[in-house]
Amino acid sequence: MRQYVQVPTVEKEKAYDYNSAFEPRPCMCLGVCCCCAALRPRYKRLVDNIFPEDPKDGLVKADMEKLTFYAVSAPEKLDRIGAYLAERLSRDVVRHRYGYVLIAMEALDQLLMACHSQSIKPFVESFLHMVAKLLESGEPKLQVLGTNSFVKFANIEEDTPSYHRRYDFFVSRFSAMCHSCDQDPEVQTEIRIAGIRGIQGVVRKTVNDELRATIWEPQHMDKIVPSLLFNMQKIEDIDSRTGPQSSPTGGVKEENPSVLAENCFRELLGRATYGNMNNAVRPVFAHLDHHKLWDPNEFAVSCFKIIMYSIQAQYSHHVIQEILGHLDVRKRDSPRVRAGIIQVLLEAVAIAAKGSIGPTVLEVFNTLLKHLRISVDLELGDRRSSAGSATLSTSSKESDERIVQNAIIQTIGFFGSNLPDYQRSEIMMFIMSKVPVLGTTSQILDPSHLGDLGTRRIQIMLLRSLLMVTSGYKATTISNALPAPFLDPLLSPSLMEDSELRQLVLEILHNLIDRHDNRAKLRGIRIIPDVSDLKIKRDKISRQDVSFMKKHGQQLYRHIYLGCKEEDNVQKNFELLFTSLALTTIELANEEVVIDLIRLAIALQDIAIINEDNLPMFNRCGVMALVAAYLNFLSQMIAVPAFCQHVSKVIETRSVEASYFLPETIFKDKCDLPKSLEKDETDLFFLTNKIAESLGGSGYSVERLSVPYVPQVTGKKPHKCKHKSKDEDRLSRRKSIVDTVSLQVDILPGNNTEDKVDNTEEITFEALKKAIDNNGLEEQEKEKRRLVIEKFQKAPFEEIAAQCETKANLLHDRLAQILELTIRLTVQSQLLVDDETAPYLQHSVVIFTAAAYQPDQTTVYT
């Protein structure tokens, strides 16, 4: 029997009112449903028809085609279709009818792929709402299903962007899925892979459109980047525990979260632009700090390699600046953490140096030098605090600081060595300007604050980095490789107080002088039987190199000369000194330089024989062996038979009577040293007269060989050096004579003011006639001036000094005579005449003394 609902009489009659709360009987339910089905909208009926009675049968394809055709034909209904599908899907999710959920998502995907009209925007909102419902569920299968649908949607290119759409929820949800900790490893991996794919979809959907809500905001990057690094790190930890595995196939590799995360990370960085690069890099530092991945730093290094190779080359300096800034932030952390950051900087700089990194070059070096100073201060502070008690912890701290310092040196050197040659010279100058030298100040490194030990430590480390920078440097001319602002501090006496410093300076000189890679052939000090077997490469000496040796050759000779007189020399010092002499001969020697080098070698031999500096017997024999090895090399290089014969004869005599004067014997572990050196044994020494006789017959100008070599002070005033006071005093006296000579050149005839006044007289016929008559005399005068100036420029220093000293004494005697005569006549005038005649006599005295002073116009006097 039917039941009816009583309607109040006061209410108007309605056509039809469906109460969803009413529960009819089964017979009544069938009739009502049949009636309602006929009244329902068509899009709902089409949607209902795609769902089969049994969800295992899957989507009804025929009805799905009808729904797709309807949606394409009536795109204004898309939003209603999407809303109804979302309603059904939500109900099925709540009721755990996952079969129908799969069918609903499949239908949504097909509709999304088929419809590309303006009306798809509301449909997308319903679609994203359904995806969010799936991601919020706790069922892993539904989360994976929602992620796959979102990835398909991300691959669709929309005609017009949607400025109001945001993906904050999806970024948060996908990032959470990347950190899944499900107990089942397979389920955990599946969810993490889904999360990584979802992040990749979000990036692809949002990153290209600048007007859309950007994903580069810090709140999004702080979730995305750590999620990707977490998966890269976890898989790396598993691989390190289980050992190396065989390379997976393509299908297996896709299911690896680490590979997917790395690919997504590379894609994200590759899409980064100038304005958002820093937002993408800073979360990397936070992740590495939080998980303490700087020590060990293998993962940190791999991360920044990925970053440097993924970003655009013109943005590399942003990453380097961020690393430098983070190094400043962590400057008080443990040494190993700082060393890990510096190692990362080294890898980043090595990649960025291949391109252009702009103004970051000087910033890198300034920051590294600052941290080098900090590391040295910490090391010295720990050493002072533990001076009373030597503990294991203190020694470990010092060794850790050494690790930091070595990392800084490697970074400086590797960065400089990867720069082009035209930039490397500037970097060499920059580093050399930061080396603390006694008597100078630096903007960053002040020797007065560091102390002797700290100054020496920084000198050694900076010279080591400079050695790495100069490795492989090939300059066209030696003046480009060794400019005066670089050469003067490099050869500073303060860098000669330590044996290790001298070794580093000589090795740097070798890198810069050796332009034909001959240094390896000259390694080790020895008597070379036949130099031609070495196949030494050399070119003709250029004019620029000849000019360089005229200006700076004395600096090189002096550095070698004083370096041989050091008491702390070891075998390596003598080997490097021999290589320096040999390379100078190969690269820079003409006839004049050869004579200077022979004079230098004879002077070194005199150091060992006379022994004014009280050198140990080992040093004296080492210097003798150095001279023998070098003169043997030089004689074969210039190929003068008589010279070669003399050198060979002396070496043969030494091998029989005094083998300790040869490098093969003196530098052995056990060598019997003589008690004294006899000066009368001339057969064991290289004699100047015989060398001059042998070279004179071959056309060499040997006049200067008779003048003993004395080291000369050139360039800047030498710094004070406690163990060179005797040499510096002698050189300073000679330098005063040179200053006097330089003043004498200025008072040559024709340079005074009277000549300039005479040149302004009126030009007449008589004046022109007189000028023509005196033309020959002026030419002779100019020639005399040129000869005098050339003499002072090219003549040996000792010859000029001796000549000027003799003439200065002569002039002094003549002036003394004039003064004595003047005094005598003045006294006589005061005694013999009255006051009226005294002025006349005094005037006569002045005229007489002026006439007595008649210097030779062709000679220079003071």
Side-chain angles (χ1 to χ4, degrees):
M1 185 175 181
R2 296 184 178 179
Q3 296 181 358
Y4 299 92
V5 179
Q6 186 175 3
V7 179
T9 56
V10 296
E11 196 174 296
K12 293 184 179 181
E13 222 176 54
K14 293 184 179 180
Y16 179 75
D17 186 9
Y18 177 73
N19 190 350
S20 59
F22 174 68
E23 296 184 0
R25 293 183 178 181
C27 60
M28 183 60 189
C29 181
L30 180 61
V32 173
C33 288
C34 293
C35 179
C36 291
L39 298 176
R40 299 181 70 189
R42 184 182 179 187
Y43 72 90
K44 288 188 176 182
R45 284 180 282 142
L46 292 174
V47 170
D48 292 334
N49 291 337
I50 65 175
F51 292 94
E53 294 183 2
D54 188 359
K56 295 180 180 180
D57 295 338
L59 181 67
V60 181
K61 295 182 179 181
D63 293 326
M64 186 63 211
E65 292 177 359
K66 295 180 181 179
L67 178 60
T68 304
F69 178 78
Y70 177 77
V72 172
S73 303
E76 66 277 5
K77 301 292 186 180
L78 270 174
D79 55 339
R80 300 183 183 182
I81 294 174
Y84 184 61
L85 278 172
E87 180 184 348
R88 290 203 55 153
L89 184 138
S90 301
R91 184 170 61 247
D92 292 335
V93 169
V94 172
R95 297 178 180 179
H96 301 285
R97 294 190 292 190
Y98 299 135
Y100 288 117
V101 172
L102 296 176
I103 295 173
M105 291 306 302
E106 184 178 357
L108 282 170
D109 294 340
Q110 292 188 19
L111 288 175
L112 199 63
M113 299 297 293
C115 302
H116 295 282
S117 64
Q118 296 293 335
S119 303
I120 200 175
K121 298 295 185 297
F123 176 73
V124 170
E125 299 299 330
S126 301
F127 170 80
L128 294 178
H129 176 70
M130 286 181 279
V131 172
K133 285 289 184 180
L134 296 180
L135 296 178
E136 287 177 342
S137 67
E139 187 66 26
K141 293 182 179 180
L142 297 184
Q143 294 179 2
V144 174
L145 178 64
T147 302
N148 294 335
S149 296
F150 184 83
V151 171
K152 293 178 182 178
F153 162 71
N155 293 328
I156 298 176
E157 295 183 3
E158 301 183 44
D159 298 335
T160 56
S162 179
Y163 304 117
H164 65 281
R165 190 186 305 159
R166 300 189 62 86
Y167 297 90
D168 300 359
F169 168 79
F170 296 99
V171 171
S172 301
R173 190 58 192 166
F174 288 138
S175 300
M177 292 170 63
C178 291
H179 293 81
S180 174
C181 297
D182 196 279
Q183 296 181 355
D184 189 353
E186 295 182 358
V187 175
Q188 174 181 315
T189 302
E190 189 177 7
I191 295 176
R192 288 186 179 181
I193 290 175
I196 296 170
R197 286 177 173 171
I199 289 177
Q200 193 173 23
V202 173
V203 170
R204 291 177 179 176
K205 195 66 179 175
T206 60
V207 78
N208 287 330
D209 198 340
E210 297 180 359
L211 297 178
R212 195 176 300 170
T214 178
I215 202 174
W216 298 107
E217 297 174 358
Q219 62 267 25
H220 297 326
M221 288 290 105
D222 291 342
K223 299 175 183 177
I224 293 175
V225 174
S227 301
L228 299 177
L229 297 178
F230 175 78
N231 285 274
M232 295 165 61
Q233 171 196 351
K234 285 296 181 181
I235 300 300
E236 198 167 282
D237 293 343
I238 295 174
D239 293 342
S240 62
R241 291 194 297 266
T242 59
Q245 300 177 356
S246 59
S247 58
T249 59
V252 178
K253 189 174 183 180
E254 286 185 357
E255 299 301 324
N256 189 347
S258 176
V259 176
L260 285 176
E262 181 178 337
N263 292 336
C264 183
F265 191 49
R266 289 180 184 273
E267 184 177 354
L268 177 68
L269 294 170
R271 297 172 182 267
T273 58
Y274 180 85
N276 47 49
M277 177 60 65
N278 294 338
N279 292 338
V281 176
R282 286 172 185 168
V284 179
F285 295 105
H287 179 83
L288 297 176
D289 291 341
H290 179 72
H291 293 276
K292 299 179 180 179
L293 297 175
W294 295 112
D295 180 33
N297 65 340
E298 288 81 4
F299 179 73
V301 171
S302 64
C303 284
F304 277 92
K305 281 186 176 180
I306 293 173
I307 293 174
M308 296 303 294
Y309 281 116
S310 299
I311 63 176
Q312 301 180 39
Q314 63 267 28
Y315 303 146
S316 299
H317 63 280
H318 281 286
V319 181
I320 295 177
Q321 288 174 347
E322 290 295 327
I323 299 175
L324 293 173
H326 194 70
L327 182 61
D328 290 335
V329 173
R330 305 297 299 271
K331 62 183 178 182
R332 296 299 176 185
D333 282 14
S334 64
R336 292 189 174 273
V337 171
R338 287 182 281 126
I341 299 175
I342 295 171
Q343 182 67 25
V344 169
L345 178 63
L346 171 62
E347 298 294 337
V349 162
I351 298 172
K354 299 176 182 178
S356 175
I357 58 176
T360 313
V361 177
L362 297 182
E363 184 179 355
V364 169
F365 284 107
N366 277 321
T367 304
L368 290 176
L369 291 175
K370 180 178 66 176
H371 286 277
L372 185 63
R373 165 70 184 273
I374 293 174
S375 178
V376 172
D377 288 343
L378 293 175
E379 180 185 2
L380 297 178
D382 295 337
R383 185 175 297 179
R384 292 191 209 97
S385 62
S386 62
S389 60
T391 60
L392 181 63
S393 61
T394 303
S395 61
S396 63
K397 287 182 180 179
E398 292 182 3
S399 62
D400 291 343
E401 290 296 339
R402 294 290 179 89
I403 295 175
V404 176
Q405 296 163 13
N406 291 332
I408 293 175
I409 292 171
Q410 291 179 359
T411 304
I412 293 175
F414 193 81
F415 173 64
S417 62
N418 279 275
L419 289 176
D421 288 343
Y422 68 90
Q423 288 184 347
R424 204 187 304 190
S425 59
E426 299 178 1
I427 298 302
M428 289 159 44
M429 296 279 292
F430 182 81
I431 297 176
M432 196 65 230
S433 66
K434 301 303 179 183
V435 177
V437 176
L438 296 181
T440 62
T441 57
S442 176
Q443 297 179 356
I444 297 180
L445 306 174
D446 190 356
S448 61
H449 296 161
L450 294 173
D452 294 339
L453 183 59
T455 300
R456 178 185 176 275
R457 285 286 301 156
I458 291 183
Q459 284 176 338
I460 290 177
M461 287 183 289
L462 288 180
L463 289 178
R464 285 173 56 192
S465 62
L466 186 60
L467 179 63
M468 296 181 63
V469 172
T470 56
S471 178
Y473 179 66
K474 296 292 187 298
T476 55
T477 59
I478 196 66
S479 57
N480 293 336
L482 292 172
F486 177 79
L487 185 63
D488 292 338
L490 181 65
L491 301 182
S492 171
S494 66
L495 298 181
M496 298 184 65
E497 298 178 355
D498 184 84
S499 174
E500 187 176 357
L501 288 175
R502 294 196 302 275
Q503 293 174 10
L504 291 171
V505 170
L506 290 174
E507 289 178 348
I508 292 170
L509 287 175
H510 297 169
N511 285 341
L512 298 174
I513 295 176
D514 184 19
R515 292 172 288 179
H516 297 87
D517 298 328
N518 293 315
R519 183 177 44 176
K521 304 172 185 177
L522 302 170
R523 187 167 297 160
I525 180 172
R526 64 194 187 279
I527 302 296
I528 303 174
D530 190 357
V531 176
S532 60
D533 293 339
L534 300 180
K535 297 181 180 179
I536 292 177
K537 301 177 183 178
R538 61 183 305 187
D539 294 332
K540 186 179 179 180
I541 309 301
S542 63
R543 290 184 178 180
Q544 293 83 355
D545 293 344
V546 173
S547 176
F548 173 83
M549 290 304 294
K550 288 182 179 179
K551 293 180 180 179
H552 305 289
Q554 294 298 329
Q555 284 181 274
L556 298 176
Y557 304 152
R558 179 176 178 271
H559 185 79
I560 295 174
Y561 178 84
L562 297 179
C564 291
K565 297 175 65 174
E566 299 296 333
E567 297 182 2
D568 58 345
N569 281 336
V570 294
Q571 179 180 352
K572 185 176 181 180
N573 291 89
F574 289 109
E575 291 178 351
L576 294 174
L577 288 168
F578 167 75
T579 306
S580 301
L581 290 169
L583 289 176
T584 304
T585 304
I586 295 172
E587 298 287 347
L588 303 171
N590 54 6
E591 292 186 3
E592 184 178 350
V593 175
V594 167
I595 298 299
D596 290 335
L597 290 173
I598 294 176
R599 293 174 58 221
L600 174 61
I602 298 300
L604 294 177
Q605 180 178 252
D606 294 340
I607 290 176
I609 297 174
I610 301 174
N611 196 24
E612 292 180 350
D613 300 286
N614 297 323
L615 295 175
M617 185 56 67
F618 171 78
N619 294 63
R620 297 172 67 185
C621 294
V623 172
M624 297 291 284
L626 169 64
V627 173
Y630 173 64
L631 288 181
N632 172 70
F633 176 81
L634 177 62
S635 63
Q636 297 185 53
M637 288 296 295
I638 64 177
V640 177
F643 186 28
C644 294
Q645 184 178 0
H646 172 64
V647 172
S648 300
K649 183 178 179 181
V650 174
I651 292 175
E652 290 175 2
T653 306
R654 288 185 180 184
S655 63
V656 176
E657 300 180 8
S659 61
Y660 42 79
F661 285 164
L662 298 177
E664 288 80 4
T665 303
I666 186 61
F667 296 122
K668 287 183 178 179
D669 294 336
K670 295 181 179 180
C671 177
D672 296 331
L673 299 177
K675 295 181 180 179
S676 62
L677 298 182
E678 298 295 335
K679 301 179 181 179
D680 299 333
E681 298 177 355
T682 57
D683 294 340
L684 300 178
F685 306 142
F686 300 99
L687 303 178
T688 304
N689 55 353
K690 291 188 177 182
I691 294 176
E693 182 181 351
S694 61
L695 293 179
S698 298
Y700 282 85
S701 178
V702 295
E703 291 82 5
R704 292 190 295 123
L705 283 178
S706 59
V707 181
Y709 170 79
V710 178
Q712 303 176 21
V713 175
T714 57
K716 296 181 180 180
K717 184 178 179 180
H719 303 287
K720 294 182 180 180
C721 191
K722 57 184 178 182
H723 59 287
K724 300 185 183 63
S725 59
K726 185 175 181 180
D727 292 326
E728 300 299 345
D729 291 341
R730 180 170 67 252
L731 295 175
S732 62
R733 290 198 299 270
R734 290 186 175 272
K735 187 173 186 292
S736 64
I737 299 175
V738 174
D739 294 338
T740 304
V741 173
S742 64
L743 292 175
Q744 294 167 356
V745 177
D746 294 335
I747 58 175
L748 289 172
N751 292 337
N752 51 21
T753 56
E754 295 179 359
D755 294 337
K756 296 180 180 178
V757 174
D758 293 339
N759 292 334
T760 61
E761 62 181 358
E762 183 180 0
I763 300 176
T764 62
F765 175 78
E766 295 295 333
L768 292 175
K769 182 178 179 181
K770 185 178 179 180
I772 294 172
D773 294 338
N774 296 334
N775 189 19
L777 295 176
E778 292 180 0
E779 292 295 332
Q780 293 178 2
E781 192 71 22
K782 290 181 180 179
E783 182 66 19
K784 290 180 181 179
R785 295 178 193 172
R786 188 187 64 80
L787 292 176
V788 171
I789 296 174
E790 185 178 358
K791 180 179 180 181
F792 278 94
Q793 289 178 346
K794 297 185 177 180
F797 176 81
E798 293 81 4
E799 180 182 344
I800 297 174
Q803 183 180 2
C804 291
E805 187 174 2
T806 302
K807 294 181 179 181
N809 293 334
L810 179 61
L811 179 60
H812 182 271
D813 294 340
R814 184 171 295 184
L815 290 175
Q817 294 175 4
I818 294 173
L819 180 61
E820 183 180 357
L821 181 60
T822 304
I823 294 173
R824 188 185 310 155
L825 293 175
T826 304
V827 172
Q828 292 177 359
S829 65
Q830 292 176 353
L831 294 176
L832 298 177
V833 300
D834 53 8
D835 295 338
E836 295 180 358
T837 59
Y840 173 77
L841 290 176
Q842 290 179 358
H843 181 67
S844 301
V845 169
V846 174
I847 296 175
F848 177 78
T849 55
Y853 178 66
Q854 294 292 338
D856 186 4
Q857 296 299 323
T858 60
T859 311
V860 181
Y861 295 102
T862 303

